[in-house]
């Protein structure tokens, strides 16, 4: 009897009772391997984008497989001090306020310690102003005591327009200002910022030369990077240097219905069905009507996405890494045939659809790794339409909507439906537009019975209908 | 609203298996293949810094990297133009700021180099040109920037700032003492002259300034990579260049490349698959363990693919290792586990196309060397970050990695010799890489198939199979 969990994770069969394997430390290279946990410390005045960066960075790291959690000290304060009164809480001589704020910071650090040292977290993002050298030293010592590598991320911005826009985007709707008018909220918040300015000690090239940090200036116009220590810090720096805040939309859709879709077969490199070609024309019309500025169009290198893009009559770029998940020995099979020929594989897949790798094929986990450059380039770009495939679209969507690995392989991405994603506040607005051309359903839900000894009917119960 | 034109038909390119639109039987535009990065306007990279700050080291390394990932790049070293023009270097006095003759020649060389840059980027389909000179005055940099603007190039400055005298001394030893300029001098004479040469530049040196140069795109590298100042990255290629520059280091180390031990399929002349090691392959694994022990390497990292044969090889070492899926052998698609004879039998056309352009040829439902390079790029980036590493991989994969380190062009890459049971030890030295080849004295089949003379699709089977190595 083989070790099935070994199969699931590695795609290679572990030999029976192999003790030597277990003794040696054997690491499968995910996209990045972190040895000591990393503590990321945000630095900056209010309304400089610290929470925006914290949340985005956390989302990205989790998506690429690095367990990450953010700890927003302001949230701890809101939980402790039920009702926010005014900016006076933040006055530098408000003893009571200072005491509470310090208490919150320590509570947050305690949760950081629990996450990184007891709950297998790899990265913790400590989101607070951390504007004094003294506060940062406290945190750095905390990191050292616990064996964490500390990396500071400072956001510096003096442009009043940017700050005003931030306040509108994320502060007016804050729980702190739920009973205020916009004008009242803005006035109070501006005074809150003033409370920090006198004691603000920005990261200094000389005084802080031994710290690891990135200083982001003017929303990414320039960066100062100091002492990047390891792979994960290098990846974080690269990511932070590629994101921007220019308003734009990302359009995700699949190719039009294909000949194999109609027959309930997976994979392959088929052409579009009649309805698929109809969809391509509808997509062209939809794109025209949207009147999108400088739209980039990306496809995979499979015929069905390229055929779809051709109907748009605009230049497009083909990316091999956008190709559909490789189903290996199951390519071009129906689910019925997979159940017939590989019942064990079929069951294993239902047990852990994210990590399951088809024999001689790929897993969703593999897909995420290969799609990372697409995500990075999407972050750099502005308006983009990505015409791709079901599994690929699920991975991209999970990134934008912060869906965890367990949910990713079951996200609904039906044919002939465009998802328009628009960044807003700390997240992403999604609009789903069905382009009114009928298509088969290709979504197979997780069946109730995922045991390897299940019956054929139980395995096939959730298979959508097909020719 | 005008009706959309009818969708064009698609045809599959027989070599690369990519789908391309065609109009009336001719390939049409509108469809671009994304190589690893797409550059629209050409990019002019301008090095900045005093002598012995690593400008040429960075230029050459960056050029090598960009070419490897498929971005046509060329470096233009103004010092080389000067050496070609002024046959014999006399002394540092050539570089004195009040030496009219010297200044005239140096400006002439810079302009000649810029002219060649223009030819490369605007006439020869180059994407990136690296202009390697001191460029230490704002005036000189403005001249170059204007040149870039006039020609429609995006200009990106790379400045190296270093004040550590030990680093500068080490640079002089590594790359200046052996320079053609000092071929008739003793080391002491050369060092003394070179230090005075550096002094000639110092008074007029205007480093890139956060305020005065705020509208330029640049990266300022400080103290050999301890810190960086990055300003106004404009596009994808600049972002990749910054990422690369921030990951390279100069700490001495060695990279060991080898293949898995001989496999059961190797013995039978079959390609691909996921076989285990043969008896001799297991012998090799033990020899490799012994070799690694004897080398006494500090903090060696060991990487394998996720295929059984590399993992079995690593297991014999008795040390922790990391498995990378992207190190898996090239996917031969429908030809997996076939012999070359069977490929010729079943896919004679494919076999011929592969011989016509082995780098770009993609197996049906498989990959090309070009695809391999794209998937190996994160490995190269991580190898640049790391120090001592042993990579146990596969023939095609090893060829790609080796081509990066030895700066081999795409045409040669698929024919690089990477025999079984042989470790290549790569050690960075001066501007390149020293290679030591160590055969670990365990016999193995030869798996190297040279390009045959006849690559025509109409060739007879004998012509196709004439270079196939012997097997069971």
């Amino acid at each position: 009897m083989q070790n099935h969990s070994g199969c699931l994770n590695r795609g290679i069969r572990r030999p029976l009772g192999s003790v030597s394997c277990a003794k040696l430390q054997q690491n499968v290279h995910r996209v990045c391997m972190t040895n000591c946990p990393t503590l990321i410390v945000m630095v900056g005045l209010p309304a400089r984008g610290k929470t925006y960066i914290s949340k985005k960075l956390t989302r990205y790291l989790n998506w690429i497989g690095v367990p990450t959690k953010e700890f927003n000290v302001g949230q701890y304060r809101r939980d402790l001090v039920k009702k926010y009164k005014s900016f006076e809480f933040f006055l530098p001589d408000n003893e009571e306020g200072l005491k509470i704020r310090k208490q919150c910071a320590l509570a947050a650090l305690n949760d950081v310690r629990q996450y990184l040292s007891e709950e297998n977290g790899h990265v913790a993002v400590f989101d607070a102003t951390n504007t004094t050298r003294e506060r940062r030293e406290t945190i750095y010592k905390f990191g050292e005591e616990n064996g964490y590598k500390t990396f500071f991320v400072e956001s510096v911005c003096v442009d009043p327009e940017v700050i005003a826009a931030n306040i509108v985007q994320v502060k007016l709707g804050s729980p702190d200002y739920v009973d205020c008018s916009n004008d009242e909220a803005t006035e109070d918040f501006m005074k809150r910022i003033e409370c920090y300015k006198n004691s603000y000690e920005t990261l200094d090239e000389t005084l802080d030369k031994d710290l690891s940090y990135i200083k982001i200036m003017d929303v990414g116009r320039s960066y100062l990077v100091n002492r990047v220590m390891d792979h994960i810090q290098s990846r974080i720096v690269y990511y932070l240097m590629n994101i921007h805040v220019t308003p734009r939309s990302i359009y995700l859709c699949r190719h039009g219905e294909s000949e194999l879709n109609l027959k309930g077969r997976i994979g392959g490199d088929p052409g579009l069905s009649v309805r698929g070609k109809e969809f391509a024309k509808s997509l062209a019309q939809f794109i025209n009507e949207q009147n999108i500025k400088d739209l980039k169009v990306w496809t995979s290198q499979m015929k069905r996405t390229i055929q779809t893009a051709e109907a748009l009559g605009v230049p497009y770029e083909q990316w091999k890494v956008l190709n559909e998940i490789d189903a290996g020995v199951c390519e071009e099979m129906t689910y019925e045939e997979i159940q017939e020929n590989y019942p064990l594989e079929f069951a294993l897949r239902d047990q852990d659809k994210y990590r399951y790798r088809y024999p001689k094929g790929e897993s969703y986990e593999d897909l995420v790794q290969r799609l990372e450059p697409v995500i990075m380039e999407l972050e750099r770009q502005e308006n983009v339409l990505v015409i791709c495939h079901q599994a690929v679209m699920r991975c991209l969507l999970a990134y934008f909507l912060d869906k965890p690995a367990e949910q990713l392989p079951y996200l609904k991405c039906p044919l002939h439906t465009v998802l328009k994603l628009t960044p807003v506040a700390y997240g992403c607005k999604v609009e789903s537009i069905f382009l009114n051309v009928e298509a088969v359903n290709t979504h197979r839900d997780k069946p109730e019975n995922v045991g390897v000894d299940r019956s054929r009917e139980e395995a096939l119960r959730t298979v959508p209908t097909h020719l």
Side-chain angles (χ1 to χ4, degrees), chain A:
Chain A
M1 187 163 65
Q2 292 175 328
N3 178 347
H4 291 303
S5 63
C7 301
L8 222 54
N9 287 336
R10 312 272 190 274
I12 46 165
R13 306 294 187 237
R14 283 251 179 85
L16 171 64
S18 175
V19 174
S20 58
C21 275
K23 264 194 201 155
L24 297 174
Q25 192 191 338
Q26 193 205 96
N27 300 309
V28 178
H29 194 272
R30 298 289 183 275
V31 184
C32 52
M33 295 288 292
T34 45
N35 298 325
C36 4
T38 302
L39 172 59
I40 297 177
V41 181
M42 302 304 301
V43 179
L45 293 172
R48 264 58 177 177
K50 295 185 302 298
T51 302
Y52 176 83
I53 291 169
S54 297
K55 287 182 179 288
K56 210 169 157 75
L57 186 57
T58 300
R59 176 162 59 89
Y60 168 71
L61 291 173
N62 278 311
W63 186 76
I64 61 172
V66 180
T68 305
K69 196 170 171 189
E70 34 131 13
F71 299 82
N72 179 283
V73 174
Q75 195 49 51
Y76 282 73
R77 188 258 308 156
R78 274 184 278 277
D79 292 341
L80 192 64
V81 180
K82 297 301 172 198
K83 179 92 186 85
Y84 174 77
K85 292 201 190 71
S86 82
F87 75 95
E88 290 174 357
F89 178 82
F90 293 96
L91 282 167
D93 54 5
N94 180 344
E95 294 285 349
E96 180 71 14
L98 286 168
K99 193 167 140 232
I100 290 172
R101 288 156 70 195
K102 178 130 200 191
Q103 191 181 338
C104 290
L106 293 174
L109 281 180
N110 195 44
D111 287 353
V112 163
R113 196 197 42 74
Q114 185 170 325
Y115 178 66
L116 294 181
S117 300
E118 294 167 30
E119 291 173 15
N120 288 320
H122 285 199
V123 179
V125 185
F126 187 70
D127 179 18
T129 48
N130 299 315
T131 38
T132 61
R133 195 156 279 113
E134 183 208 348
R135 171 56 57 90
R136 296 195 290 268
E137 259 201 59
T138 305
I139 298 167
Y140 186 83
K141 281 207 186 84
F142 162 85
E144 284 218 300
E145 283 162 12
N146 286 283
Y148 310 150
K149 283 186 185 168
T150 303
F151 187 76
F152 294 92
V153 177
E154 180 174 16
S155 173
V156 175
C157 182
V158 294
D159 185 340
E161 283 187 30
V162 173
I163 294 156
N166 287 355
I167 293 176
V168 167
Q169 277 261 320
V170 298
K171 301 297 177 187
L172 298 184
S174 156
D176 290 346
Y177 297 113
V178 72
D179 294 325
C180 299
S181 75
N182 284 356
D183 285 342
E184 288 168 341
T186 304
E187 196 187 325
D188 182 273
F189 199 83
M190 294 304 290
K191 290 185 186 149
R192 201 153 116 181
I193 297 176
E194 284 306 309
C195 292
Y196 286 88
K197 277 192 175 170
N198 280 350
S199 58
Y200 183 18
E201 294 168 294
T202 188
L203 285 170
D204 181 80
E205 275 189 77
T206 315
L207 294 172
D208 298 304
K209 64 176 169 54
D210 291 329
L211 298 180
S212 297
Y213 66 83
I214 178 171
K215 193 187 233 195
I216 305 169
M217 291 165 285
D218 294 327
V219 204
R221 182 183 59 75
S222 61
Y223 306 87
L224 181 62
V225 179
N226 198 59
R227 290 196 191 274
V228 169
M229 298 303 295
D230 60 13
H231 179 95
I232 191 70
Q233 289 182 17
S234 163
R235 296 289 291 276
I236 288 165
V237 164
Y238 184 43
Y239 181 72
L240 292 178
M241 288 176 55
N242 280 314
I243 60 181
H244 67 76
V245 293
T246 311
R248 48 80 173 254
S249 289
I250 293 166
Y251 298 79
L252 301 181
C253 71
R254 293 166 65 187
H255 52 83
E257 183 191 67
S258 77
E259 294 292 351
L260 289 190
N261 287 145
L262 278 176
K263 299 175 185 163
R265 295 186 172 282
I266 65 172
D269 194 17
L272 298 180
S273 67
V274 170
R275 298 193 299 193
K277 291 174 183 169
E278 273 310 304
F279 164 73
K281 290 192 201 132
S282 294
L283 182 64
Q285 189 177 350
F286 170 76
I287 291 299
N288 265 326
E289 287 163 3
Q290 286 277 305
N291 223 349
I292 307 155
K293 171 174 166 267
D294 294 331
L295 179 72
K296 297 265 170 77
V297 179
W298 298 351
T299 70
S300 70
Q301 282 187 359
M302 295 181 141
K303 189 176 181 186
R304 52 201 186 278
T305 58
I306 297 167
Q307 270 185 298
T308 308
E310 275 289 315
L312 304 181
V314 297
Y316 55 91
E317 261 186 67
Q318 298 183 15
W319 293 63
K320 183 174 192 278
V321 294
L322 281 174
N323 281 4
E324 182 58 316
I325 192 171
D326 183 356
V329 299
C330 297
E331 277 285 318
E332 301 198 42
M333 289 189 171
T334 60
Y335 290 117
E336 290 83 353
E337 286 165 1
I338 299 174
Q339 169 60 27
E340 173 83 35
N341 293 290
Y342 302 99
L344 173 61
E345 295 293 330
F346 202 36
L348 288 175
R349 186 159 205 255
D350 283 338
Q351 289 178 16
D352 190 344
K353 195 175 176 189
Y354 184 72
R355 276 167 210 83
Y356 171 82
R357 188 184 283 167
Y358 281 105
K360 302 190 180 178
E362 294 177 301
S363 63
Y364 272 92
E365 192 171 30
D366 295 328
L367 252 196
V368 163
Q369 186 170 1
R370 99 161 134 82
L371 286 170
E372 199 264 352
V374 175
I375 288 297
M376 196 63 85
E377 190 57 19
L378 277 172
E379 287 294 346
R380 289 197 54 78
Q381 291 288 344
E382 294 185 19
N383 292 316
V384 186
L385 164 65
V386 185
I387 304 172
C388 54
H389 305 267
Q390 184 167 247
V392 169
M393 188 164 159
R394 284 170 170 156
C395 292
L396 299 179
L397 194 60
Y399 167 76
F400 288 108
L401 301 187
D402 203 17
K403 299 295 185 185
E406 304 70 51
Q407 294 179 28
L408 185 160
Y410 297 101
L411 292 176
K412 286 214 161 73
C413 294
L415 287 165
H416 299 186
T417 306
V418 179
L419 291 186
K420 178 179 176 180
L421 306 165
T422 312
V424 68
Y426 295 135
C428 223
K429 178 173 89 163
V430 197
E431 293 165 68
S432 171
I433 306 112
F434 173 60
L435 289 192
N436 227 3
V437 178
E438 289 306 311
V440 295
N441 172 28
T442 58
H443 186 93
R444 179 177 166 267
D445 277 308
K446 180 171 179 169
E448 266 194 55
N449 191 346
V450 299
V452 301
D453 51 358
R454 64 190 178 173
S455 70
R456 184 178 173 278
E457 297 72 49
E458 288 172 310
L460 298 175
R461 189 158 297 154
T462 56
V463 173
T465 47
H466 56 84
L467 294 177

